[in-house]
């Protein structure tokens, strides 16, 4: 039992990603069949890459849906995954607190608590207390012959949002761009922002033609759409007619 940190690994991404996006997009405008274009090695890879960059810039992003990235993520809290799974255009497989007993559960400590010795001490004591109560609950239910998943599924009600979890996430490139626009923003909650930043780093390394200019909304817009109250100040706030009143 103890504090753990974010760990993100790329499990897999679509093979021949650039070619796949290129061919899907060409099908929209070409008399040729995508099946032939895909097996035609004559189209040079630089041309394909430039074409993909141009469709990302133009906003014709539906061809990006054909390319997917799958990530294995651990060292994150249940508070984070509750936010993550709100993104509906993705696939998730998360470690179950029903089938996996949380004996000696690990947890995430927010930096604001970790940086304050008194707060950190209180937080860590609470985690130990919760662990002890969780174990006792399993024992009490065991006295009523409730064991295994039947006991776990009810004892987990005592677990904190800080409890560490593991999840596999698959998103297509269009959804990833959307996810980064929202979650790389400095207004996003710190833990999901760290995760989004790490996923973006991996995507940029593996598919720069799509992700080199990806990030928070402001990076693309050149202004902050969040309004004066919420803006971090990195970009000027866009003034709407209602702001001027
Ligand atoms: C800074 C921040 C603060 C937040 N605060 C809160 C909060 O206080 N409370 C709260 O409940 N949530 C909150 N959220 C979550 C937010 O409301 C969204 O649920 C979450 O960001 C998922 O985003 P999405 O719906 O845009 O994207 P996804 O589910 O990833 O979908 C991508 C896009 O597909 C389209 N789409 C998907 N499903 C539908 C549909 N059914 N109908 C129409 N179009 C669809 C939309 O264009 C959508 O933007 C917050 C999010 C952020 C980034």
């Amino acid at each position: 039992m103890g504090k753990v940190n974010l760990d993100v690994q790329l499990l897999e991404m679509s093979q021949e990603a650039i070619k796949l996006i290129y061919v899907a997009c060409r099908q929209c405008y070409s008399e040729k069949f995508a099946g032939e274009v895909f097996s035609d090695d004559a189209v040079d890879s630089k041309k394909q890459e430039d074409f993909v960059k141009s469709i990302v810039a133009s906003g014709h992003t539906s061809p990006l849906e054909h390319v997917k990235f799958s990530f294995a993520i651990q060292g994150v809290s249940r508070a984070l995954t509750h936010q993550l799974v709100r993104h509906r255009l993705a696939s998730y497989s998360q470690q179950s607190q029903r089938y996996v007993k949380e004996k000696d559960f690990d947890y995430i400590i927010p930096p604001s608590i970790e940086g304050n010795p008194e707060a950190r001490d209180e937080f860590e004591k609470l985690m130990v207390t919760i662990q002890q109560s969780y174990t006792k609950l399993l024992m009490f239910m065991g006295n009523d012959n409730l064991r295994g998943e039947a006991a776990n599924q009810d004892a987990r009600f005592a677990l904190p949002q800080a409890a560490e979890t593991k999840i596999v996430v698959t998103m297509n490139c269009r959804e990833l761009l959307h996810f980064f626009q929202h979650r790389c923003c400095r207004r996003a909650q710190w833990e999901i922002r760290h995760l989004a930043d790490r996923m973006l780093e991996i995507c940029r390394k593996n598919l720069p033609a799509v992700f080199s200019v990806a990030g928070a909304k402001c990076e693309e817009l050149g202004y902050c759409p969040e309004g004066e109250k919420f803006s971090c100040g990195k970009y000027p706030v866009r003034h709407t007619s209602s702001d001027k009143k």
Side-chain angles (χ1 to χ4, degrees), residues 82-90 92 171 174-175 178-179 181-183 185 187-189 192 217 226:
H82 185 77
Q83 297 171 82
L84 178 64
V85 301
R86 295 292 302 280
H87 290 277
R88 293 156 287 178
L89 306 183
Y92 303 102
M171 287 187 190
R174 191 182 194 186
E175 177 65 2
H178 174 82
F179 176 72
Q181 281 181 347
H182 288 274
R183 303 300 183 175
C185 171
R187 259 200 80 207
Q189 186 262 345
I192 197 163
K217 289 185 287 271
E226 298 288 337

Side-chain angles (χ1 to χ4, degrees), residues 1 10 14 23 26 30 47 64 87 90-91 95 99 106 132 134 148 157 178 186 199 241:
M1 180 177 198
L10 176 64
S14 304
V23 165
R26 283 298 307 275
S30 170
K47 186 182 165 193
L64 303 180
H87 290 277
S91 304
Q95 187 175 62
Y99 297 108
D106 289 324
Q132 288 166 346
Y134 172 85
F157 278 64
H178 174 82
R186 290 193 201 169
M199 286 166 66
S241 52

Side-chain angles (χ1 to χ4, degrees), residues 12-70:
E12 195 183 65
M13 66 176 278
S14 304
Q15 299 289 307
E16 303 204 69
I18 293 286
K19 196 174 185 183
L20 189 51
I21 299 167
Y22 172 79
V23 165
C25 198
R26 283 298 307 275
Q27 186 65 96
C28 303
Y29 309 116
S30 170
E31 286 176 4
K32 284 189 186 167
F33 173 48
E36 284 164 37
V37 183
F38 194 78
S39 45
D40 178 6
D41 287 331
V43 186
D44 76 89
S45 54
K46 173 81 171 71
K47 186 182 165 193
Q48 290 178 10
E49 203 166 313
D50 288 346
F51 190 82
V52 169
K53 281 182 191 162
S54 73
I55 68 156
V56 173
S58 76
H60 178 183
T61 42
S62 59
L64 303 180
E65 293 172 21
H66 299 290
V67 167
K68 290 179 280 181
F69 282 71
S70 295

